[in-house]
Amino acid sequence: MATPPPMLCATTSAGTACARISGRAGLLTRETRPGSAAAPRHVLILTPDGRTELLRRLREPDELFITDENRWFTVLAFLRHLGDPAEQAAVLRRRLAFLTEPASFFWDAGRPLRAEDFDDPFRKGLLTIATATSRTEIRWIRETIDRLTDA
């Protein structure tokens, strides 16, 4: 089997993921490369042990990486590296389960409030945008799971 190419961590979301494992010895190496302008770039490169750890974290992301949107985007930035469609679909199913639970930014007596429950245009806007975003993500996840399970 061919050795996979090194994973370079130079973008914001990738850099965040790599920074989380940078404190563990042997998972990353750091190189300085010429920048496109005058400033050099500091590039983190996963070692074979680092790649193994990243893949483990992608297979079994901590709950916050499923429920927190910014952390979830970090998982999505790397999920293609799992390579196994069944493993990718399993991670997507966890996010889908989270997104399909009753949720809201505002609650009344244990009941999630909807945009229609507010006269305040700003709270209504917040819930309208969040609902549209969630519906779009749910649709994308379901379509992607279908494609992954058909592969």
Side-chain angles (χ1 to χ4, degrees):
M1 181 164 84
T3 303
M7 288 186 196
L8 301 178
C9 300
T11 66
T12 302
S13 63
T16 301
C18 289
R20 293 192 189 286
I21 62 174
S22 65
R24 297 192 46 197
L27 299 182
L28 294 170
T29 60
R30 181 183 297 256
E31 290 182 12
T32 301
R33 296 184 179 173
S36 57
R41 293 181 352 173
H42 299 281
V43 179
L44 301 173
I45 302 169
L46 287 169
T47 65
D49 286 346
R51 184 182 186 86
T52 298
E53 178 62 12
L54 178 61
L55 295 176
R56 183 197 66 76
R57 289 177 183 225
L58 289 171
R59 265 184 214 98
E60 305 161 9
D62 291 340
E63 193 64 21
L64 272 178
F65 282 85
I66 297 296
T67 61
D68 178 82
E69 185 175 82
N70 291 324
R71 291 177 187 196
W72 170 244
F73 286 162
T74 300
V75 169
L76 282 182
F78 288 94
L79 199 55
R80 67 186 175 93
H81 291 289
L82 276 181
D84 180 356
E87 290 179 335
Q88 293 167 337
V91 174
L92 293 178
R93 283 187 189 96
R94 284 186 59 198
R95 176 71 175 178
L96 182 61
F98 164 71
L99 291 173
T100 54
E101 292 175 2
S104 180
F105 293 105
F106 309 103
W107 293 74
D108 181 27
R111 179 181 71 87
L113 298 177
R114 300 169 308 166
E116 301 79 34
D117 297 325
F118 290 98
D119 293 328
D120 176 346
F122 307 106
R123 285 189 174 192
K124 186 177 287 230
L126 183 133
L127 290 172
T128 299
I129 293 166
T131 299
T133 301
S134 291
R135 286 181 181 157
T136 300
E137 185 176 358
I138 288 168
R139 184 174 51 251
W140 174 83
I141 288 174
R142 286 182 172 145
E143 290 169 359
T144 303
I145 290 171
D146 287 346
R147 279 195 307 276
L148 290 170
T149 55
D150 289 343

